[in-house]
Amino acid sequence: MSEIRLLDADETRARMGELADVLADCVTGGASVGFMAPYGPADALPFWQDVAAAVGEGATLLFAAERAGRIVGTVQVGIRQMPNQPHRADVKKLLVMESERGRGIARALMAVAEAEAARRGKTVLVLDTATGSPAETVYERLGWQRAGVIPDYALYPDGRFCATTFFYKRIGEAALAA
């Protein structure tokens, strides 16, 4: 089983190469996570530098799944919101290396991310994912509610249009009241 840890800004910067490998693996595998092919680890470094800065500012939580001491998956929670949304957080970039899929890593990452968001007073989480992707099924299995689909919202790494499905989940006190 993988170990799931919350990374601070210093560790994010120190492990930038591993994080870049995970992101590049997912984009190369066709995941619509914001980047276009061709995409390698060097292309991912600026993204992770921005994430490290957001972690350092307290705007983002970054969770990493490790197997044998190497990062094989990540998920982020954007916890800094506008003043009228202090109860909400955005789940971003659930990434698991293709070679590690089917081992419960996504489920473990999401469980830890949801628990930490609830611990920090968040009661509603939102996310989006490519419609028809394996991730869409993962979120449904984890109890996320489909809010809607927007056609042609983004592009796959190969340039084809893809629809995006938006999900939400009530957590913490909101889940108990629902």
Side-chain angles (χ1 to χ4, degrees), residues 6-174:
L6 178 62
L7 302 184
D8 64 20
D10 290 337
E11 190 167 12
T12 300
R13 284 189 281 277
R15 301 191 71 184
M16 197 90 47
E18 293 171 69
L19 293 165
D21 288 343
V22 172
L23 179 54
D25 179 77
C26 292
V27 173
T28 299
S32 177
V33 290
F35 305 99
M36 303 302 291
Y39 193 84
D43 300 311
L45 292 175
F47 170 78
W48 289 112
Q49 290 166 350
D50 290 346
V51 171
V55 168
E57 295 166 1
T60 298
L61 305 175
L62 173 61
F63 299 91
E66 296 178 335
R67 183 180 299 285
R70 183 127 180 102
I71 295 175
V72 296
T74 68
V75 69
Q76 298 168 53
V77 180
I79 57 171
R80 184 179 296 158
Q81 299 296 331
M82 297 300 291
N84 70 339
Q85 302 167 29
H87 60 289
R88 185 176 73 76
D90 296 320
V91 174
K92 305 180 280 189
K93 304 280 187 281
L94 175 62
L95 306 168
V96 177
M97 295 187 87
E98 281 195 86
S99 63
E100 298 293 324
R101 293 182 188 161
R103 297 181 181 184
I105 294 171
R107 177 181 294 276
L109 281 164
M110 290 298 288
V112 171
E114 291 173 17
E116 183 61 21
R119 192 183 75 72
R120 292 174 185 242
K122 303 303 179 177
T123 57
V124 177
L125 299 179
V126 296
L127 63 82
D128 67 271
T129 193
T131 305
S133 69
E136 189 176 23
T137 304
V138 168
Y139 298 128
E140 289 171 338
R141 286 185 188 148
L142 297 179
W144 286 72
Q145 302 300 307
R146 179 185 304 261
V149 175
I150 300 176
D152 299 339
Y153 184 82
L155 299 174
Y156 286 108
D158 65 9
R160 293 176 295 127
F161 282 104
C162 70
T164 295
T165 303
F166 286 82
F167 286 92
Y168 71 93
K169 188 172 188 180
R170 294 183 184 277
I171 62 171
E173 295 296 320

